[in-house]
Amino acid sequence: MGPQSDDLLPVPIEERTWTAFSYVAFINSYRSLDSWMITSSMIVMGMSWWQAWLTVWIGYGVMTPFVVLLGRPGAVFHVTFPVVNRASFGIFGSLWCVFNRATMACIWYGVQSSIGGSCVLVMLRTIWPSVNNIPNSMPLSSGTNTRDFMCFLIFWVISLPFIWPPVHTIRHFFTFKTIVSPIACVIFMIWCIVKAKGVGPIVKQPATIHGSELAWAMISNIGICISNLITLTTNAPDFGSRAKTPSTPIISQLWCIPLSYGLVCLFGVIVSSSSQTIYGEVIWSPVDLLGMFLDDNPSPATRFGVWFIAFSLIIAQLTLCTPPIFRGNISANTVSAGCDLTALCPRFINVRRGGYISAIVGLVMCPWNLVASSSRFSSYMSAYTVFLSAIAGVMAAEYWFVRKGHYNVADLYVTRKGSWYWYNYGFNPRAYAAYVAGIAINIVGFAGDIGIPVPAAATHIFDLSFFTGFGISSIVFYILSRMFPVPGAADTFEEIDVSGYEEKMANCSEDTKSKDGSTEKESTV
């Protein structure tokens, strides 16, 4: 293949700038409107508010160690997901996984821009109330109207400059969002409590389901929380690669993920409960509730308060746009899509160009049509978890149980027979057999999720789709790797680069351009 893009090489030492606080800021930027609303479906299903909140804590708490485990190769060897995936699926075999994730990231960029457009509408209404009455000149077949498309386009254009900065510098934007967003959440919650003269009836509402029905409802919604983190789990090497030290992401992520998501979901419960007292109905979407604040001749103070909260929601959308619904665009979608598209076409694409490609795809796909259909969107989300869990299972088993931390970083970039990751003509058949097995265990339950009658057992298996997909794929991969050993399989765990790639690059930095570049160029990918 052609020459290797520098964006796929191990992150240079000077760009490994992410501290523990950087990861706290990143995690706090990762949860947004979806996290706020995630308890709504649980309460509607019949749980009490504390049961729903407990489910959130369990779901995110259980998933957090997987984020750390999958991100470890990136933190130790400073390589991104497309390169880490080569170790498991092969130099060429990884392209299918990378293509899938790149496609998803582009779609999510569009979806999150559509959600961000609704925040822009609220913000504009605080300044120019007449914006809400813009006449529609778009046909019904477009799926949108002039007002909403204008707001979508404004958000989309605003997001473009934020794709330009290098990945290792965007942590400052995460930090800004980490400061602004919690302040806005607390203000919003206190404001709603004051308007309702109390926290509202939802926090006093008892559960209406009990016994096994309650247990399976909690398990099913734990799966929803897991789906909300599945992309962060597979993306983990992308951001782990920027860590100052391998241990930097561990402690910060272990406590910050469940805590931050738990607090935001609590805010959502209290605000929505208050809305029932204020308006006589439960308003689960904070954007819709802010819009209702503007409907009845609001005072200047109310308009400023809504403006500030809407502004913070826009910042939240900008910093994260990934599945599932309502995230921001910079951290997850553009960086992930940029890394993936670079791996697919390293001759012509780098992370920055890949980010802009994801933005263009997100525009032309007309994402508002996908968001408009909740059933279509839910099925898309479910399928996304099934496929990514099988990929994650293979990657975890390869790093932790087959090669046990042993990497050959130099071989991650060559296409020659005998290298660790060449396998069979660049494809690892063990990985693909495990990948198919991890999907197959959930396929019947997925059919039930889209409306086809299936046995109850299949539905329950699908409720645990991450664990069944991850577990089956990792077990099958481990067994096949024991039956058909791979180069570099180890008996003891030690995180070491047997090629000494980084040391060689440091020693040869002065004459790389004149000597090493010519010898490596022909065989790298």
PDB file of all heavy atoms in Angstrom, residues 55 68 87 104 115 129 136 156 227 232 346-347 355 442 464 472-473 486 503 510 520:
ATOM      1  N   THR A  55     -30.325   2.063  38.812  1.00  0.00           N
ATOM      2  CA  THR A  55     -30.024   1.368  37.562  1.00  0.00           C
ATOM      3  C   THR A  55     -28.958   2.109  36.770  1.00  0.00           C
ATOM      4  O   THR A  55     -28.057   1.486  36.177  1.00  0.00           O
ATOM      5  CB  THR A  55     -31.309   1.237  36.716  1.00  0.00           C
ATOM      6  OG1 THR A  55     -32.284   0.496  37.453  1.00  0.00           O
ATOM      7  CG2 THR A  55     -31.028   0.518  35.403  1.00  0.00           C
ATOM      8  N   VAL A  68     -11.633   1.211  30.594  1.00  0.00           N
ATOM      9  CA  VAL A  68     -10.218   1.192  30.980  1.00  0.00           C
ATOM     10  C   VAL A  68      -9.480   0.059  30.287  1.00  0.00           C
ATOM     11  O   VAL A  68      -8.371   0.232  29.769  1.00  0.00           O
ATOM     12  CB  VAL A  68     -10.091   1.081  32.512  1.00  0.00           C
ATOM     13  CG1 VAL A  68      -8.626   0.935  32.919  1.00  0.00           C
ATOM     14  CG2 VAL A  68     -10.711   2.296  33.196  1.00  0.00           C
ATOM     15  N   ALA A  87      -3.976  -5.322  15.437  1.00  0.00           N
ATOM     16  CA  ALA A  87      -3.387  -6.402  16.221  1.00  0.00           C
ATOM     17  C   ALA A  87      -4.341  -7.576  16.360  1.00  0.00           C
ATOM     18  O   ALA A  87      -3.909  -8.734  16.432  1.00  0.00           O
ATOM     19  CB  ALA A  87      -2.987  -5.882  17.600  1.00  0.00           C
ATOM     20  N   MET A 104     -20.529   4.892  11.290  1.00  0.00           N
ATOM     21  CA  MET A 104     -21.356   5.253  12.441  1.00  0.00           C
ATOM     22  C   MET A 104     -21.020   6.656  12.935  1.00  0.00           C
ATOM     23  O   MET A 104     -21.916   7.453  13.253  1.00  0.00           O
ATOM     24  CB  MET A 104     -21.142   4.256  13.579  1.00  0.00           C
ATOM     25  CG  MET A 104     -21.501   2.825  13.257  1.00  0.00           C
ATOM     26  SD  MET A 104     -23.264   2.622  12.958  1.00  0.00           S
ATOM     27  CE  MET A 104     -23.347   0.841  12.720  1.00  0.00           C
ATOM     28  N   ILE A 115     -29.722  17.638  16.734  1.00  0.00           N
ATOM     29  CA  ILE A 115     -30.102  17.956  18.114  1.00  0.00           C
ATOM     30  C   ILE A 115     -29.555  19.317  18.517  1.00  0.00           C
ATOM     31  O   ILE A 115     -30.218  20.130  19.169  1.00  0.00           O
ATOM     32  CB  ILE A 115     -29.587  16.881  19.083  1.00  0.00           C
ATOM     33  CG1 ILE A 115     -30.098  15.494  18.670  1.00  0.00           C
ATOM     34  CG2 ILE A 115     -30.003  17.196  20.514  1.00  0.00           C
ATOM     35  CD1 ILE A 115     -31.586  15.360  18.620  1.00  0.00           C
ATOM     36  N   PRO A 129     -37.472  36.696  19.362  1.00  0.00           N
ATOM     37  CA  PRO A 129     -38.628  35.791  19.487  1.00  0.00           C
ATOM     38  C   PRO A 129     -39.323  35.500  18.164  1.00  0.00           C
ATOM     39  O   PRO A 129     -39.921  34.428  17.989  1.00  0.00           O
ATOM     40  CB  PRO A 129     -39.563  36.551  20.432  1.00  0.00           C
ATOM     41  CG  PRO A 129     -38.657  37.446  21.222  1.00  0.00           C
ATOM     42  CD  PRO A 129     -37.575  37.846  20.275  1.00  0.00           C
ATOM     43  N   ASN A 136     -42.386  28.705   6.429  1.00  0.00           N
ATOM     44  CA  ASN A 136     -41.723  27.553   5.825  1.00  0.00           C
ATOM     45  C   ASN A 136     -41.763  27.635   4.309  1.00  0.00           C
ATOM     46  O   ASN A 136     -42.807  27.886   3.716  1.00  0.00           O
ATOM     47  CB  ASN A 136     -42.397  26.257   6.283  1.00  0.00           C
ATOM     48  CG  ASN A 136     -41.728  25.031   5.688  1.00  0.00           C
ATOM     49  OD1 ASN A 136     -40.509  24.990   5.544  1.00  0.00           O
ATOM     50  ND2 ASN A 136     -42.519  24.035   5.339  1.00  0.00           N
ATOM     51  N   TRP A 156     -24.192  23.466  12.539  1.00  0.00           N
ATOM     52  CA  TRP A 156     -23.228  22.726  11.715  1.00  0.00           C
ATOM     53  C   TRP A 156     -22.048  23.610  11.343  1.00  0.00           C
ATOM     54  O   TRP A 156     -20.891  23.188  11.429  1.00  0.00           O
ATOM     55  CB  TRP A 156     -23.950  22.210  10.470  1.00  0.00           C
ATOM     56  CG  TRP A 156     -23.127  21.332   9.596  1.00  0.00           C
ATOM     57  CD1 TRP A 156     -22.900  19.989   9.730  1.00  0.00           C
ATOM     58  CD2 TRP A 156     -22.427  21.729   8.404  1.00  0.00           C
ATOM     59  NE1 TRP A 156     -22.111  19.532   8.709  1.00  0.00           N
ATOM     60  CE2 TRP A 156     -21.797  20.582   7.880  1.00  0.00           C
ATOM     61  CE3 TRP A 156     -22.274  22.940   7.739  1.00  0.00           C
ATOM     62  CZ2 TRP A 156     -21.027  20.603   6.724  1.00  0.00           C
ATOM     63  CZ3 TRP A 156     -21.500  22.975   6.590  1.00  0.00           C
ATOM     64  CH2 TRP A 156     -20.889  21.823   6.088  1.00  0.00           C
ATOM     65  N   SER A 227     -25.167   0.726  26.292  1.00  0.00           N
ATOM     66  CA  SER A 227     -25.176   1.195  24.908  1.00  0.00           C
ATOM     67  C   SER A 227     -24.708   2.643  24.817  1.00  0.00           C
ATOM     68  O   SER A 227     -24.071   3.049  23.844  1.00  0.00           O
ATOM     69  CB  SER A 227     -26.590   1.078  24.322  1.00  0.00           C
ATOM     70  OG  SER A 227     -27.008  -0.263  24.266  1.00  0.00           O
ATOM     71  N   LEU A 232     -17.648   4.988  23.488  1.00  0.00           N
ATOM     72  CA  LEU A 232     -16.502   5.430  24.279  1.00  0.00           C
ATOM     73  C   LEU A 232     -15.586   4.250  24.582  1.00  0.00           C
ATOM     74  O   LEU A 232     -14.363   4.402  24.613  1.00  0.00           O
ATOM     75  CB  LEU A 232     -16.978   6.079  25.583  1.00  0.00           C
ATOM     76  CG  LEU A 232     -15.882   6.542  26.543  1.00  0.00           C
ATOM     77  CD1 LEU A 232     -14.984   7.583  25.882  1.00  0.00           C
ATOM     78  CD2 LEU A 232     -16.483   7.092  27.824  1.00  0.00           C
ATOM     79  N   PRO A 346      -4.879   6.176   4.014  1.00  0.00           N
ATOM     80  CA  PRO A 346      -3.799   6.971   4.615  1.00  0.00           C
ATOM     81  C   PRO A 346      -3.050   7.859   3.635  1.00  0.00           C
ATOM     82  O   PRO A 346      -2.418   8.824   4.049  1.00  0.00           O
ATOM     83  CB  PRO A 346      -2.873   5.897   5.204  1.00  0.00           C
ATOM     84  CG  PRO A 346      -3.170   4.657   4.421  1.00  0.00           C
ATOM     85  CD  PRO A 346      -4.619   4.730   4.083  1.00  0.00           C
ATOM     86  N   ARG A 347      -3.129   7.551   2.327  1.00  0.00           N
ATOM     87  CA  ARG A 347      -2.404   8.374   1.359  1.00  0.00           C
ATOM     88  C   ARG A 347      -2.997   9.776   1.249  1.00  0.00           C
ATOM     89  O   ARG A 347      -2.294  10.762   1.041  1.00  0.00           O
ATOM     90  CB  ARG A 347      -2.411   7.699  -0.022  1.00  0.00           C
ATOM     91  CG  ARG A 347      -1.637   8.475  -1.088  1.00  0.00           C
ATOM     92  CD  ARG A 347      -1.892   7.882  -2.464  1.00  0.00           C
ATOM     93  NE  ARG A 347      -1.374   6.534  -2.573  1.00  0.00           N
ATOM     94  CZ  ARG A 347      -0.134   6.231  -2.978  1.00  0.00           C
ATOM     95  NH1 ARG A 347       0.705   7.206  -3.303  1.00  0.00           N
ATOM     96  NH2 ARG A 347       0.255   4.984  -3.062  1.00  0.00           N
ATOM     97  N   GLY A 355     -12.224  14.440   9.826  1.00  0.00           N
ATOM     98  CA  GLY A 355     -13.236  15.138  10.605  1.00  0.00           C
ATOM     99  C   GLY A 355     -14.169  15.952   9.723  1.00  0.00           C
ATOM    100  O   GLY A 355     -15.389  15.952   9.929  1.00  0.00           O
ATOM    101  N   ASN A 442     -26.822 -12.867  19.546  1.00  0.00           N
ATOM    102  CA  ASN A 442     -27.821 -11.806  19.759  1.00  0.00           C
ATOM    103  C   ASN A 442     -28.768 -11.597  18.581  1.00  0.00           C
ATOM    104  O   ASN A 442     -29.669 -10.762  18.674  1.00  0.00           O
ATOM    105  CB  ASN A 442     -27.099 -10.477  20.047  1.00  0.00           C
ATOM    106  CG  ASN A 442     -26.415 -10.472  21.395  1.00  0.00           C
ATOM    107  OD1 ASN A 442     -27.027 -10.746  22.413  1.00  0.00           O
ATOM    108  ND2 ASN A 442     -25.129 -10.157  21.392  1.00  0.00           N
ATOM    109  N   LEU A 464     -29.036  -8.378  27.407  1.00  0.00           N
ATOM    110  CA  LEU A 464     -27.649  -8.441  27.875  1.00  0.00           C
ATOM    111  C   LEU A 464     -26.681  -8.459  26.694  1.00  0.00           C
ATOM    112  O   LEU A 464     -25.610  -9.065  26.769  1.00  0.00           O
ATOM    113  CB  LEU A 464     -27.451  -9.694  28.731  1.00  0.00           C
ATOM    114  CG  LEU A 464     -28.303  -9.793  30.006  1.00  0.00           C
ATOM    115  CD1 LEU A 464     -28.248 -11.202  30.572  1.00  0.00           C
ATOM    116  CD2 LEU A 464     -27.830  -8.782  31.044  1.00  0.00           C
ATOM    117  N   ILE A 472     -19.008 -14.004  24.356  1.00  0.00           N
ATOM    118  CA  ILE A 472     -18.874 -15.076  23.373  1.00  0.00           C
ATOM    119  C   ILE A 472     -17.713 -14.814  22.428  1.00  0.00           C
ATOM    120  O   ILE A 472     -16.894 -15.707  22.145  1.00  0.00           O
ATOM    121  CB  ILE A 472     -20.184 -15.240  22.571  1.00  0.00           C
ATOM    122  CG1 ILE A 472     -21.294 -15.763  23.476  1.00  0.00           C
ATOM    123  CG2 ILE A 472     -19.979 -16.182  21.389  1.00  0.00           C
ATOM    124  CD1 ILE A 472     -21.040 -17.149  24.037  1.00  0.00           C
ATOM    125  N   SER A 473     -17.596 -13.597  21.922  1.00  0.00           N
ATOM    126  CA  SER A 473     -16.515 -13.293  20.974  1.00  0.00           C
ATOM    127  C   SER A 473     -15.146 -13.433  21.629  1.00  0.00           C
ATOM    128  O   SER A 473     -14.212 -13.957  21.007  1.00  0.00           O
ATOM    129  CB  SER A 473     -16.690 -11.895  20.391  1.00  0.00           C
ATOM    130  OG  SER A 473     -16.615 -10.900  21.398  1.00  0.00           O
ATOM    131  N   VAL A 486      -0.852 -17.831  17.562  1.00  0.00           N
ATOM    132  CA  VAL A 486      -0.457 -16.699  16.737  1.00  0.00           C
ATOM    133  C   VAL A 486       0.939 -16.246  17.130  1.00  0.00           C
ATOM    134  O   VAL A 486       1.390 -16.496  18.261  1.00  0.00           O
ATOM    135  CB  VAL A 486      -1.445 -15.522  16.913  1.00  0.00           C
ATOM    136  CG1 VAL A 486      -2.822 -15.923  16.423  1.00  0.00           C
ATOM    137  CG2 VAL A 486      -1.492 -15.052  18.361  1.00  0.00           C
ATOM    138  N   GLU A 503      12.116   3.596  20.898  1.00  0.00           N
ATOM    139  CA  GLU A 503      13.543   3.822  21.135  1.00  0.00           C
ATOM    140  C   GLU A 503      14.301   3.984  19.820  1.00  0.00           C
ATOM    141  O   GLU A 503      15.175   4.846  19.679  1.00  0.00           O
ATOM    142  CB  GLU A 503      14.137   2.677  21.947  1.00  0.00           C
ATOM    143  CG  GLU A 503      13.662   2.595  23.384  1.00  0.00           C
ATOM    144  CD  GLU A 503      12.266   1.987  23.516  1.00  0.00           C
ATOM    145  OE1 GLU A 503      11.714   1.522  22.482  1.00  0.00           O
ATOM    146  OE2 GLU A 503      11.730   1.995  24.634  1.00  0.00           O
ATOM    147  N   GLU A 510      17.492  11.956  13.815  1.00  0.00           N
ATOM    148  CA  GLU A 510      18.264  12.910  13.036  1.00  0.00           C
ATOM    149  C   GLU A 510      18.395  12.514  11.571  1.00  0.00           C
ATOM    150  O   GLU A 510      18.440  13.361  10.685  1.00  0.00           O
ATOM    151  CB  GLU A 510      19.656  13.076  13.654  1.00  0.00           C
ATOM    152  CG  GLU A 510      19.629  13.722  15.036  1.00  0.00           C
ATOM    153  CD  GLU A 510      21.026  13.938  15.582  1.00  0.00           C
ATOM    154  OE1 GLU A 510      21.995  13.552  14.892  1.00  0.00           O
ATOM    155  OE2 GLU A 510      21.138  14.474  16.688  1.00  0.00           O
ATOM    156  N   GLU A 520      11.588   2.201   4.834  1.00  0.00           N
ATOM    157  CA  GLU A 520      10.305   1.785   5.398  1.00  0.00           C
ATOM    158  C   GLU A 520       9.129   2.064   4.472  1.00  0.00           C
ATOM    159  O   GLU A 520       8.102   1.437   4.554  1.00  0.00           O
ATOM    160  CB  GLU A 520      10.063   2.499   6.727  1.00  0.00           C
ATOM    161  CG  GLU A 520      11.024   2.119   7.831  1.00  0.00           C
ATOM    162  CD  GLU A 520      10.817   0.690   8.294  1.00  0.00           C
ATOM    163  OE1 GLU A 520       9.686   0.185   8.182  1.00  0.00           O
ATOM    164  OE2 GLU A 520      11.781   0.064   8.732  1.00  0.00           O
TER     165      GLU A 520
END
